[in-house]
Amino acid sequence: MWPSLPVPSLWLDVFQKIKALGYSGVSFYSDWALLEGRQGNFSAEGVFAFEPFFEAASTAGVYLLARPGPYINAEVSGGGFPAQITNGGPIILFQPENEYSQATADVTFPDRTYFQMVENQYRTAGIVVPFISNDASPLGYLAPGTGNGSVDIYGHDAYPLGFNCANPYTWPDGALPTTFHKLHLQQSPSTPYSLVEFQGGSFDPWGGSSFAKCTTLLNEQFERVFYKNDYSFGVTIFNIYMTYGGTNWGNLGHPGGYTSYDYGAVIAEDRTVFREKYSEAKLQANFLRVSPAYLTAAPGNVSNGQFVSTAAIATTQLRGNQTNFYVVRHATYNSLNTTTYTLSVPTSAGNVTIPQLGTVLTLNGRDSKIHVTDYNIGEFSLLYCSAEIFTWKQFHDKTVLILYGGADENHEFSFSGQENFTVLEGTGLRSRVQKDAIIINWTVNEARRVIRVGSNLEIYLLGKLASACEVDVTDDGIDRRECYSYWVLDLPGKSPHDNYTASNPSSIIARAGYLLRTVSVVNSSLSISGDLNETTAIEIIGGAPENCSALLFNGEELDISTNTYGVITGKTVYNAPRVSLPDLTKLEWKQIDSLPEIGSEYDDSAWPDADIKTTRNPRGLRTPTSLYGSDYGFNTGNLLFRGHFNATGKESEFHIRTQGGAGYGASVFLDRALLGSWAGNGTGFEYNQTLTLPALRRGQPAVLTVLLDNMGLDENGRVGTDQMKNPRGILNYTLIGREQSAISWKVTGNLGGENYRDRTRGPLNEGGLYAERQGYHLPDPPSINWKSAEPTKGISTAGVTFYTTSFNLSLPSGYDIPLSFVFTNSSSNTTGGVSNFRSQLYVNGYQFGKYGMIPASGTGSVQYHILILSIVNNIGPQTAFPVPEGILNYRDINYLALSLWALDAKGARIENIQLASTAVIQSDTEIDWEAYMQQASQYLNGERDYAMIKGGTGPLVYPAVHVAIYSLLYKITEEGKNIMLAQAAFTWLYLAILMLVMGCYRKAKVGSSLSMEEHSLTVALIHQAPPYLFPLLVLSKRLHSIFLLRLFNDCFAVGFLFIAIYAYQHRIFTVGSVAYSLGVGTKMSLLLAGPAIGIILLQALPLRRALSSAFLITQVQFVVAMPFLPVNARGYLSRAFEFSRQFLYKWTVNWRFVNEEIFRSREFAMALVIANLCLLSLFFATRWLKPSGQSVQGFVSALWNQPPPLVQQQTSLRITPSYVMTTILSAMGIGLLCARSLHYQFYAYIAWATPFLLWKARLHPVAIYAVWAAQEWAWNVYPSTKASSMVVVGCLFIQVLGVWWGTGNEFPDENRPIDKRSHIQEHAD
């Protein structure tokens, strides 16, 4: 994940998906090549920072095994190098070096002095956690107690099916390990048996079979047979490589692999979890978590026919003090046969043959099972069980056990000391009571069964079908979809465990859909977060709080029911959004020549001279001076060489040998004439060409240009070899008729070489193409004057052309929508013939792939995603390139670029490239707090480019005060992990604002809405709003959710709004203006109150003071934004105050009753803007100017011709507390009524305003309560419906028009002098 997913805001997503499997830890490599592009210049910032990675792991509750090398392999360029990792955080194990297991015969191996030196360096740096090793195979090197350099825990790797996925349905004979336990006892019996890398997939080389085939080869059947075989050896540290592979973006990979590093892992490259192997891994991990007896059980020897009735089945017994485990598989491990058998085993009740009730057990082909005897389920003793255990938990009111098996299999279990059971759900059970034990036998079919044994043991016998589980299921006859939809989530624990895996944690067992992530309990409410890909029921099987009052999913309360045995059921609703993606072929593309270097007029005087006469490279030199890119600091991407000579006329041929790594290509030009190209293949890493030269005139200046695609540095897994140092560049050349020295060479590569300029994307991201060196692959290139041309039209000659375009995405928030760039090609050139080409794709500056085409081998393409994707398709096999959100801006502009390198004289074109979605997942929307914390973390870690700060919901889109507030909360809530403390803080915030609101109500007296005569009669009797309004301020369920459950920034914004109102009511205008500006700096929604505040200031103050207050509001904005403005002012202002954001129809609370097409239309948006302006104009002309006693024209005129001081004073005195509150809340109401989309959190601005506005509308108290109740109901309907949204709009309409109507009699005689005593009395507390 680090660094193969360069979006820190997505790291938590992957960690949570791993945690949801039941895994407790993750191992990760660090790649020194990314962290120290130049010796001594170490940088671990931005997408390369470790702190956000550690924080994400801590938040998810995942332990880490750090693997910094020095050598890491990992299919990365050069095998990588170590990063500096400090002690602490979630890291519990540390691995120095990687697969230090083989060497050439001429070196000392293992070199214990060297290995001890590596360990000493890490200990000196402060690493205190245990060191663990990973031999490439079980060789015993450097095991504890073996001398200098030994580690604390010995471990090894195993990839039994290798890395050839060409035959995905073939498991070769003899591939299943059988001696691991024996070797462990020989090599390291005193340490936990550790498999530090066990095969979880496979890498795939250029020309490989594709990761789709690797996924098939290493599928859930592989997990069942091979993983359970590992358990039979007693493995207790079990690390699977890979669980998530990610992408070899930006030239990260080595030449042996292409851009994708999907690896066929349980989590796909695009982060989806559809693969059945994800669900199978979850079943196994959860079983191990609830089986502590496994940790101390002693593995026996595998034996065919022992314990079972047929020699066709092999069994391994793991014998414990009480509990025994029996791992069964076919004796011929790769058998596809279905075999029936019985199991005869010793138990505490004597020897038992299972099943006892007349059926037989079944083992399908490529399957394995774990049977148990004398297994404790809390206070209950499971005598034996043939079905497999998913999990069990002891709750406050019951104990729950979940059992499963394959479709149509017979299974049986027995509980000692139990004689009675009750069927709660399902039919078709066979049972018997004998010897003080109950026996239950059943056949797995479509339906699940639930039985109760004794008083409080509930056993779930799962069926084979579950509509709520959408995974890609293999048709292997072992249908277990029902159990795939069950999840175990741990509740946050107390320090020091927190969210980390602990023994016997408090948990819930739930049945749901696509993914469940987290669970928490607040008082008597249960809150779950997760993802959906369809509408599905959710069941809480166990673990809900006593007297559970509410079930929330992603922050929204569900309608729930509870059955007779305590299962809580609700329905989670999937709302399919409208996803619109641009047609990339119809965009306006711009083109520029990216190989101008072939022109004789090109000036390369600024390039380094290739004049180094010796090299440290072990290959040595065959040329007068070095033509190796690395000797000049160019270690990544395309290399360019220009050789200058003056012709004698005798030159006839040019021989050249180049090297670029597997899959590379090269083109050679003499001036603008193509001499020839090497298109590349999957295995060739160097190539020799003989090229015929055209006739040259004596004395003619000539330039040879060589373009070479560096595919990355080779790995170096064997000590004593120098494969990683294999040079990239020109190995040798001969110019027939001339000496080698007749040619003087220039060389270039990525801009700056090792002094790379792009610190954001790191040292490997870009190469030496002209467009890359000019920065044209970065966002917003200067392409306005370039020629318009499409890559689908291509070019008609050999060379490199660079295309760029831009497009906007407006994808809905609240969804995870993985996107991929997909290439198709028939390898045609512009004349209809076939051609070879390479292409690189850049997205927003990042390189995410290469795509290339060689006709003989198929089609291909190179993808650079301003993020650079590279693919070479003739070698293949990748054609689709996932690019994650965070690289792609899902709700903003994106810059896309393609390089097209035509290797043939007739040119080339890309037939098609499109942007496609692979899934639409309704994701955990209860991540605002998490996103806020991620953003705060990046800010506190030094990020000041506002446009670079992102969270789980996407880019940061709130102003600077929001960042400051949540940075403070980040510190006081233990980096956002202490949710209870955060909720306590928001509780106090709610109470404080509530008191403030009541103060504002009290200040806005009833008399302020009456005439002066009426006021003088009533002011002594009524001093504030009537008491019946105040209960409405505290009864809103939705408002409580916004504050206490969702922790929205709207809570702070509305607090600042009422501080401003309170200050203005007390005529403390400076404080009010500062508070209002801080509110706008928290969330720009408060701009809706801006017109009202402007009117208040202009009437309450002389013009100069009013303008000073307005300037103060602006000045505060600049002050709070100062951390960001010097770095990227445009980025800050465009994001923090973005007025073009389009919200998702799915989440709209107010306009759901209109058609989605209308809702998304520009015409509808403009109509709402016009309505807003009209209503503001109406209130401005007929209500808000009343204190001045002037018309609109007169008011505007008076701004330039200030009235006499007495008149100004009279006007100012009419700005009463009631007027202030009425005007500001009316403006907010108008803006919210005309808003294109209100989300649920916007109710924070409505809930406390509604009682006041309805009262000002002069409605009867019964009517006030009725409108308030209708509005409260509508805002609590989730998801919103046509009816609820009509009520939302209707209630706002009543408030806005009502307050306009009800305030018609305010200040009926504005020109009459004010009785200052009455005014003073009105302002009195």
Side-chain angles (χ1 to χ4, degrees):
M1 192 189 333
W2 188 104
S4 61
L5 179 62
V7 185
S9 60
L10 294 179
W11 292 344
L12 179 61
D13 169 70
V14 178
F15 276 130
Q16 286 182 339
K17 287 171 177 171
I18 293 172
K19 179 75 171 180
L21 285 167
Y23 288 12
S24 57
V26 167
S27 73
F28 72 99
Y29 285 126
S30 59
D31 188 335
W32 194 358
L34 291 174
L35 299 169
E36 194 170 357
R38 182 187 181 196
Q39 186 173 357
N41 187 355
F42 179 85
S43 176
E45 300 173 352
V47 300
F48 307 112
F50 288 105
E51 293 85 355
F53 186 79
F54 296 158
E55 290 166 7
S58 297
T59 299
V62 172
Y63 293 114
L64 295 178
L65 161 56
R67 309 174 74 190
Y71 183 76
I72 65 171
N73 196 62
E75 288 75 61
V76 298
S77 179
F81 289 97
Q84 299 172 8
I85 301 175
T86 59
N87 177 53
I91 296 175
I92 59 171
L93 290 172
F94 191 93
Q95 179 189 301
E97 265 291 358
N98 184 76
E99 295 178 340
Y100 187 69
S101 306
Q102 52 185 325
T104 58
D106 59 338
V107 299
T108 300
F109 187 84
D111 188 337
R112 294 184 173 275
T113 301
Y114 160 74
F115 210 92
Q116 187 64 55
M117 179 190 69
V118 172
E119 292 181 345
N120 291 344
Q121 283 184 315
Y122 287 129
R123 291 298 186 206
T124 302
I127 303 300
V128 299
V129 297
F131 285 162
I132 190 171
S133 65
N134 74 320
D135 251 350
S137 58
L139 301 171
Y141 291 136
L142 303 169
T146 59
N148 202 31
S150 60
V151 294
D152 299 305
I153 301 173
Y154 174 77
H156 68 87
D157 301 351
Y159 291 85
L161 289 191
F163 305 103
N164 186 344
C165 305
N167 300 297
Y169 299 101
T170 301
W171 290 3
D173 294 342
L176 187 73
T178 57
T179 60
F180 281 176
H181 178 61
K182 177 181 178 181
L183 291 171
H184 170 64
L185 294 179
Q186 295 173 357
Q187 296 166 350
S188 188
S190 64
T191 63
Y193 178 44
S194 303
L195 278 167
V196 183
E197 284 185 31
F198 192 81
Q199 187 160 24
S202 172
F203 71 84
D204 196 43
W206 293 109
S209 304
S210 81
F211 283 120
K213 288 188 175 181
C214 292
T215 304
T216 300
L217 176 66
L218 290 315
N219 63 3
E220 71 288 342
Q221 296 172 323
F222 172 85
E223 292 177 321
R224 291 170 191 153
V225 174
F226 282 81
Y227 292 4
K228 291 177 184 178
N229 185 59
D230 292 333
Y231 308 151
S232 75
F233 303 134
V235 62
T236 52
I237 297 179
F238 187 47
N239 186 43
I240 299 165
Y241 192 101
M242 299 287 292
T243 297
Y244 173 75
T247 304
N248 279 328
W249 63 279
N251 300 310
L252 174 62
H254 76 137
Y258 41 90
T259 305
S260 174
Y261 200 58
D262 179 278
Y263 216 79
V266 296
I267 302 175
E269 182 181 6
D270 63 4
R271 296 176 294 103
T272 56
V273 292
F274 288 111
R275 292 172 177 167
E276 188 174 358
K277 62 188 298 184
Y278 178 91
S279 299
E280 175 61 34
K282 180 177 66 173
L283 297 180
Q284 296 184 27
N286 277 281
F287 164 67
L288 293 174
R289 286 193 62 189
V290 297
S291 303
Y294 166 80
L295 299 174
T296 57
N301 296 321
V302 63
S303 176
N304 298 341
Q306 186 179 15
F307 303 112
V308 291
S309 57
T310 172
I313 290 179
T315 307
T316 303
Q317 181 193 49
L318 289 90
R319 190 171 185 85
N321 294 329
Q322 172 185 324
T323 303
N324 296 332
F325 302 85
Y326 298 87
V327 181
V328 300
R329 59 167 173 83
H330 279 98
T332 304
Y333 90 99
N334 52 5
S335 172
L336 297 175
N337 296 331
T338 296
T339 304
T340 59
Y341 66 102
T342 58
L343 180 71
S344 299
V345 290
T347 72
S348 58
N351 294 332
V352 176
T353 296
I354 308 166
Q356 299 189 71
L357 301 187
T359 58
V360 292
L361 306 179
T362 302
L363 183 66
N364 290 285
R366 295 190 177 178
D367 193 12
S368 177
K369 299 181 185 297
I370 301 177
H371 305 308
V372 299
T373 61
D374 294 301
Y375 183 98
N376 285 333
I377 307 292
E379 60 188 26
F380 298 91
S381 177
L382 180 60
L383 184 63
Y384 65 80
C385 185
S386 69
E388 294 194 86
I389 297 171
F390 169 52
T391 191
W392 68 269
K393 292 290 177 183
Q394 191 168 11
F395 301 111
H396 67 273
D397 57 342
K398 60 185 176 182
T399 299
V400 173
L401 170 64
I402 311 285
L403 303 177
Y404 69 94
D408 302 320
E409 293 178 352
N410 298 307
H411 284 290
E412 187 174 285
F413 68 81
S414 177
F415 272 93
S416 300
Q418 302 296 325
E419 298 182 357
N420 300 309
F421 74 94
T422 304
V423 177
L424 303 177
E425 182 181 325
T427 60
L429 299 176
R430 298 173 287 273
S431 65
R432 179 192 302 167
V433 176
Q434 64 181 36
K435 296 182 180 179
D436 194 30
I438 190 169
I439 302 171
I440 304 291
N441 184 294
W442 77 100
T443 302
V444 178
N445 55 27
E446 284 77 5
R448 77 177 181 189
R449 287 89 159 195
V450 182
I451 64 175
R452 179 181 291 136
V453 173
S455 61
N456 65 347
L457 172 61
E458 294 178 5
I459 304 173
Y460 285 71
L461 311 176
L462 302 187
K464 65 179 182 180
L465 296 178
S467 61
C469 186
E470 290 296 324
V471 297
D472 297 328
V473 178
T474 301
D475 184 16
D476 58 3
I478 314 174
D479 196 335
R480 291 171 174 158
R481 278 176 285 178
E482 165 74 9
C483 50
Y484 294 163
S485 60
Y486 285 75
W487 303 85
V488 179
L489 298 179
D490 292 346
L491 289 157
K494 296 181 180 180
S495 181
H497 293 297
D498 299 320
N499 290 337
Y500 296 108
T501 300
S503 59
N504 195 29
S506 297
S507 308
I508 69 161
I509 300 175
R511 181 189 183 200
Y514 177 76
L515 174 68
L516 295 186
R517 295 176 180 269
T518 64
V519 63
S520 61
V521 171
V522 180
N523 298 323
S524 60
S525 297
L526 186 69
S527 181
I528 295 174
S529 69
D531 296 0
L532 300 172
N533 63 349
E534 66 175 359
T535 296
T536 183
I538 181 170
E539 292 181 334
I540 308 303
I541 307 297
E546 293 187 65
N547 302 315
C548 182
S549 61
L551 173 62
L552 294 89
F553 185 80
N554 291 344
E556 299 300 331
E557 186 171 341
L558 307 181
D559 291 331
I560 59 175
S561 61
T562 304
N563 67 15
T564 56
Y565 45 99
V567 174
I568 299 172
T569 302
K571 184 173 78 171
T572 57
V573 178
Y574 176 80
N575 294 283
R578 178 180 175 183
V579 177
S580 178
L581 300 176
D583 184 339
L584 301 184
T585 63
K586 294 181 180 179
L587 300 176
E588 181 183 3
W589 290 84
K590 294 287 189 172
Q591 163 192 301
I592 193 171
D593 181 12
S594 194
L595 194 59
E597 295 89 352
I598 63 176
S600 58
E601 71 283 1
Y602 181 83
D603 181 5
D604 61 13
S605 60
W607 291 21
D609 293 317
D611 57 1
I612 296 176
K613 295 183 179 181
T614 60
T615 181
R616 297 178 66 182
N617 192 292
R619 185 177 181 120
L621 296 180
R622 300 288 183 89
T623 55
T625 60
S626 172
L627 296 177
Y628 301 160
S630 292
D631 280 344
Y632 301 92
F634 303 119
N635 305 313
T636 183
N638 292 285
L639 296 170
L640 273 164
F641 302 87
R642 299 190 87 226
H644 298 259
F645 65 95
N646 290 317
T648 64
K650 298 180 180 179
E651 298 87 354
S652 59
E653 287 183 343
F654 182 61
H655 299 177
I656 183 170
R657 189 171 191 86
T658 55
Q659 184 179 104
Y664 90 106
S667 291
V668 183
F669 297 83
L670 178 62
D671 296 328
R672 291 191 176 275
L674 176 68
L675 299 182
S677 294
W678 163 241
N681 58 39
T683 57
F685 62 94
E686 64 179 68
Y687 190 70
N688 190 52
Q689 292 172 277
T690 298
L691 306 169
T692 301
L693 301 181
L696 297 174
R697 299 188 313 274
R698 181 178 181 82
Q700 173 186 346
V703 179
L704 288 162
T705 302
V706 180
L707 172 62
L708 180 144
D709 194 0
N710 176 2
M711 305 299 283
L713 303 181
D714 295 312
E715 294 181 308
N716 206 124
R718 191 179 186 195
V719 179
T721 64
D722 290 309
Q723 289 173 284
M724 191 200 71
K725 298 178 183 178
N726 286 338
R728 300 294 183 251
I730 300 172
L731 304 181
N732 201 356
Y733 67 88
T734 302
L735 180 60
I736 300 299
R738 302 293 297 277
E739 297 291 331
Q740 280 185 316
S741 59
I743 304 176
S744 60
W745 291 91
K746 292 274 193 173
V747 60
T748 195
N750 64 298
L751 182 65
E754 292 180 357
N755 294 310
Y756 61 99
R757 306 294 177 82
D758 189 348
R759 309 296 291 186
T760 297
R761 298 166 184 84
L764 301 182
N765 183 66
E766 59 196 43
L769 290 180
Y770 174 80
E772 292 178 295
R773 304 196 315 271
Q774 302 302 313
Y776 295 158
H777 64 295
L778 298 172
D780 200 14
S783 60
I784 189 169
N785 295 321
W786 296 0
K787 178 183 176 182
S788 294
E790 298 80 37
T792 53
K793 300 293 179 59
I795 53 178
S796 58
T797 60
V800 182
T801 297
F802 188 79
Y803 300 92
T804 184
T805 189
S806 64
F807 59 89
N808 281 284
L809 290 177
S810 183
L811 296 182
S813 58
Y815 289 87
D816 188 0
I817 306 175
L819 298 179
S820 295
F821 287 88
V822 181
F823 287 82
T824 57
N825 217 301
S826 60
S827 68
S828 62
N829 57 37
T830 57
T831 62
V834 295
S835 63
N836 302 295
F837 73 84
R838 291 173 175 250
S839 179
Q840 297 187 137
L841 171 69
Y842 311 79
V843 177
N844 298 325
Y846 291 83
Q847 187 244 57
F848 251 70
K850 293 185 178 180
Y851 179 80
M853 166 64 75
I854 296 179
S857 304
T859 59
S861 55
V862 178
Q863 191 172 328
Y864 287 73
H865 187 0
I866 285 201
L867 195 134
I868 193 173
L869 280 174
S870 276
I871 308 172
V872 180
N873 184 53
N874 66 294
I875 305 169
Q878 189 176 3
T879 58
F881 300 87
V883 177
E885 182 179 5
I887 299 302
L888 273 170
N889 295 318
Y890 273 29
R891 284 164 286 279
D892 205 341
I893 191 170
N894 292 274
Y895 295 92
L896 173 66
L898 284 170
S899 64
L900 177 60
W901 173 2
L903 291 99
D904 298 333
K906 291 185 178 181
R909 70 183 185 91
I910 294 173
E911 183 175 295
N912 195 12
I913 175 175
Q914 290 296 345
L915 186 61
S917 63
T918 54
V920 180
I921 307 299
Q922 187 171 307
S923 190
D924 167 19
T925 58
E926 195 181 10
I927 58 175
D928 295 88
W929 171 259
E930 294 171 359
Y932 296 164
M933 293 299 99
Q934 292 163 4
Q935 294 159 358
S937 171
Q938 293 166 51
Y939 172 76
L940 292 172
N941 284 323
E943 182 60 73
R944 293 298 182 267
D945 186 343
Y946 187 90
M948 297 303 298
I949 299 178
K950 300 178 176 65
T953 53
L956 175 60
V957 293
Y958 302 118
V961 178
H962 159 88
V963 179
I965 291 171
Y966 282 89
S967 294
L968 176 61
L969 288 170
Y970 179 88
K971 293 179 179 179
I972 67 176
T973 60
E974 302 169 21
E975 301 178 349
K977 302 184 191 78
N978 194 334
I979 302 297
M980 293 297 290
L981 180 58
Q983 290 175 320
F986 273 77
T987 299
W988 285 107
L989 176 66
Y990 170 83
L991 293 174
I993 298 175
L994 178 62
M995 294 177 63
L996 181 65
V997 171
M998 289 182 173
C1000 293
Y1001 269 64
R1002 183 176 183 274
K1003 197 69 178 173
K1005 300 172 183 178
V1006 174
S1008 64
S1009 66
L1010 306 176
S1011 67
M1012 295 305 298
E1013 293 84 352
E1014 293 170 320
H1015 176 80
S1016 62
L1017 294 173
T1018 60
V1019 71
L1021 300 176
I1022 305 175
H1023 292 279
Q1024 59 267 337
Y1028 61 76
L1029 293 182
F1030 287 89
L1032 302 182
L1033 301 180
V1034 299
L1035 293 177
S1036 174
K1037 178 180 178 181
R1038 172 59 64 187
L1039 190 61
H1040 296 163
S1041 172
I1042 291 170
F1043 272 84
L1044 306 184
L1045 293 177
R1046 303 305 298 271
L1047 314 180
F1048 280 121
N1049 58 1
D1050 303 81
C1051 303
F1052 292 96
V1054 76
F1056 284 122
L1057 177 66
F1058 277 98
I1059 292 173
I1061 291 173
Y1062 189 80
Y1064 287 145
Q1065 286 179 322
H1066 288 77
R1067 306 184 72 78
I1068 312 172
F1069 293 104
T1070 298
V1071 173
S1073 296
V1074 170
Y1076 174 68
S1077 188
L1078 291 174
V1080 172
T1082 304
K1083 195 165 185 178
M1084 71 173 188
S1085 306
L1086 292 199
L1087 289 174
L1088 297 175
I1093 289 176
I1095 292 298
I1096 291 171
L1097 294 175
L1098 287 171
Q1099 294 182 103
L1101 300 172
L1103 180 61
R1104 179 169 295 187
R1105 284 190 61 196
L1107 293 178
S1108 295
S1109 291
F1111 178 73
L1112 178 61
I1113 292 172
T1114 305
Q1115 193 175 37
V1116 169
Q1117 289 301 306
F1118 277 100
V1119 170
V1120 298
M1122 280 309 296
F1124 305 108
L1125 294 178
V1127 179
N1128 185 354
R1130 178 182 176 185
Y1132 175 78
L1133 295 174
S1134 63
R1135 285 280 178 82
F1137 299 99
E1138 182 183 357
F1139 295 96
S1140 60
R1141 291 182 66 195
Q1142 294 187 15
F1143 294 99
L1144 182 64
Y1145 181 74
K1146 167 205 175 229
W1147 293 117
T1148 183
V1149 181
N1150 52 336
W1151 295 115
R1152 180 59 71 88
F1153 62 88
V1154 303
N1155 179 276
E1156 182 173 1
E1157 186 174 348
I1158 295 175
F1159 173 84
R1160 295 172 63 91
S1161 69
R1162 179 177 177 80
E1163 292 78 9
F1164 182 67
M1166 290 304 301
L1168 291 174
V1169 171
I1170 293 170
N1172 196 345
L1173 293 175
C1174 289
L1175 285 171
L1176 287 174
S1177 299
L1178 175 66
F1179 274 74
F1180 177 69
T1182 65
R1183 296 293 182 269
W1184 295 348
L1185 288 183
K1186 280 196 170 189
S1188 70
Q1190 294 176 326
S1191 65
V1192 175
Q1193 183 178 358
F1195 179 77
V1196 174
S1197 176
L1199 292 178
W1200 307 109
N1201 301 293
Q1202 283 291 288
L1206 181 60
V1207 175
Q1208 172 62 49
Q1209 184 182 25
Q1210 291 286 323
T1211 301
S1212 178
L1213 291 174
R1214 294 190 182 99
I1215 305 302
T1216 65
S1218 178
Y1219 173 86
V1220 167
M1221 190 160 170
T1222 304
T1223 305
I1224 293 176
L1225 295 186
S1226 296
M1228 289 296 296
I1230 291 169
L1232 295 169
L1233 173 63
C1234 299
R1236 185 172 183 180
S1237 182
L1238 296 180
H1239 292 184
Y1240 286 95
Q1241 61 265 37
F1242 281 76
Y1243 196 53
Y1245 309 106
I1246 296 173
W1248 282 322
T1250 293
F1252 181 80
L1253 294 177
L1254 292 176
W1255 171 61
K1256 295 294 290 185
R1258 301 197 178 198
L1259 295 183
H1260 189 278
V1262 174
I1264 291 176
Y1265 269 73
V1267 175
W1268 179 90
Q1271 177 175 266
E1272 180 70 15
W1273 167 81
W1275 280 89
N1276 279 282
V1277 173
Y1278 175 80
S1280 62
T1281 63
K1282 290 183 178 180
S1284 68
S1285 65
M1286 285 182 181
V1287 172
V1288 166
V1289 174
C1291 290
L1292 285 171
F1293 183 83
I1294 290 171
Q1295 292 169 58
V1296 170
L1297 270 296
V1299 76
W1300 180 83
W1301 178 266
T1303 56
N1305 292 326
E1306 285 197 1
F1307 307 108
D1309 186 3
E1310 290 85 351
N1311 294 317
R1312 176 178 176 178
I1314 290 180
D1315 182 348
K1316 293 184 180 180
R1317 289 172 299 175
S1318 296
H1319 182 78
I1320 292 171
Q1321 187 175 11
E1322 184 180 354
H1323 279 80
D1325 294 331

